Amino acid sequence: MKSLKGIFSALLVSFNADGTINEKGLRQIVRHNIDKMKVDGLYVGGSTGENFMLSTDEKKEIFRIAKDEAKDQIALIAQVGSVNLKEAVELGQYATELGYDCLSAVTPFYYKFSFPEIKHFYNTIIEATGNRMIVYSIPFLTGVNIGVAQFGELYENEKIIGVKFTAGDFYLLERLKKAYPNHLIWAGFDEMMLPAAVLGIDGAIGSTFNVNGIRARQIYEKAQAGQIQEALEIQHVTNDLIEGILGNGLYLTIKELLKLEGVDAGYCREPMTKELTEAQIAVAKELKAKYL
Ligand code: HMN
């Protein structure tokens, strides 16, 4: 069983101008992450993969292509969460058959699901797939907050191995680490990796690792080695870059930075704006020259 610790890029997906999947480009993004960013694994089908705008067949196609390109070189996590539980089960079964090392599912969102409903959601996917599961907690987008005791209830299912923690609530992170030391936590905000690493995270899953994966690993490893000041210097540079990326349009700017590396990262999927303006492309070029 592959280790799921370490640096995981949240995989971007290359789309053609008409919104269809650009398979060649997607394969190049996978290769870039493995060969150049030296990541420990990929998180496929997350927000970064523009997943919630895609059909079930498209989601499957992305799982298939990513696995076919990565083979067994790195660990692969498939994000299968959906407010459509039947779809989540279908995707989970598909990714498990493909050989994905673990599943992850965003907490069901939009409707105000009760905690028993959320628990049922996870247990149903696990029962149907037999695979390991990482809870994807991202309260700022879902509005779903899970507390320490509720995590304990979820962890009663031994297949739930931890949480992708995309939040800035470091008190909760510390409480979870203390309460459930054998469960894993992946930091979900790249710009807050250092404080999360000081609190003992087991890994990180991030969009910016597609281009800044080397620095991300340095922050993580230096923090683990107690070299906090050195890690902080790298976090400062990283956050200057991330600030520039966020101010220019998150996914399109990362795609542009990949293109400047020769990777055919393509367009974004509508209703997201699908391409940068000339002025934004110029900003991306400046970011590349300054930080990458
Ligand atoms: C995903 O599902 O792809 C993850 O959310 C990836 C990751 O946690 C990113 N979160 C979002 O984009 C919402 C972060 O890497 C984030 O993009 C980065 O920290 C910049 O804010």
Side-chain angles (χ1 to χ4, degrees), residues 8-193:
F8 282 66
S9 278
L11 188 68
L12 288 153
V13 174
S14 178
F15 293 98
N16 297 307
D18 66 0
T20 53
I21 297 164
N22 173 350
E23 174 165 351
K24 191 166 144 272
L26 175 55
R27 287 180 183 275
Q28 287 177 9
I29 299 174
V30 172
R31 283 257 62 84
H32 178 80
N33 272 296
I34 298 173
D35 300 336
K36 303 274 172 54
M37 296 295 106
K38 311 280 183 202
V39 295
D40 296 300
L42 292 174
Y43 188 82
V44 185
S47 351
T48 309
E50 301 173 53
N51 176 76
F52 301 106
M53 294 172 283
L54 307 182
S55 71
T56 310
D57 283 347
E58 287 171 321
K59 293 175 190 180
K60 285 183 173 176
E61 188 63 359
I62 290 162
F63 287 141
R64 184 191 67 74
I65 295 167
K67 174 66 182 174
D68 186 61
E69 190 59 47
K71 304 274 187 305
D72 286 322
Q73 286 187 267
I74 52 170
L76 291 178
I77 301 168
Q79 196 297 120
V80 301
S82 164
V83 272
N84 177 348
L85 178 54
K86 283 183 190 297
E87 184 194 38
V89 164
E90 185 179 335
L91 292 172
Q93 287 170 331
Y94 184 73
T96 301
E97 280 163 21
L98 285 173
Y100 274 71
D101 300 284
C102 187
L103 303 178
S104 179
V106 69
T107 51
F109 50 89
Y110 190 79
Y111 300 101
K112 298 274 177 217
F113 294 106
S114 67
F115 181 69
E117 287 169 334
I118 292 173
K119 198 170 150 186
H120 173 73
F121 171 84
Y122 284 106
N123 290 338
T124 303
I125 301 170
I126 292 164
E127 199 180 323
T129 62
N131 206 340
R132 296 180 286 175
M133 170 65 71
I134 299 166
V135 174
Y136 178 7
S137 176
I138 181 162
F140 96 100
L141 288 181
T142 59
V144 179
N145 287 286
I146 303 179
V148 178
Q150 291 177 327
F151 269 105
E153 274 195 53
L154 291 175
Y155 290 163
E156 282 168 12
N157 186 328
E158 60 180 26
K159 293 275 185 187
I160 303 187
I161 61 168
V163 55
K164 167 167 149 34
F165 189 91
T166 307
D169 185 347
F170 292 112
Y171 179 53
L172 177 60
L173 198 161
E174 180 277 330
R175 290 288 81 190
L176 289 174
K177 212 51 217 161
K178 167 87 185 340
Y180 313 112
N182 297 324
H183 284 79
L184 306 179
I185 300 180
W186 292 262
F189 274 131
D190 316 356
E191 53 276 48
M192 300 184 212
M193 191 206 273

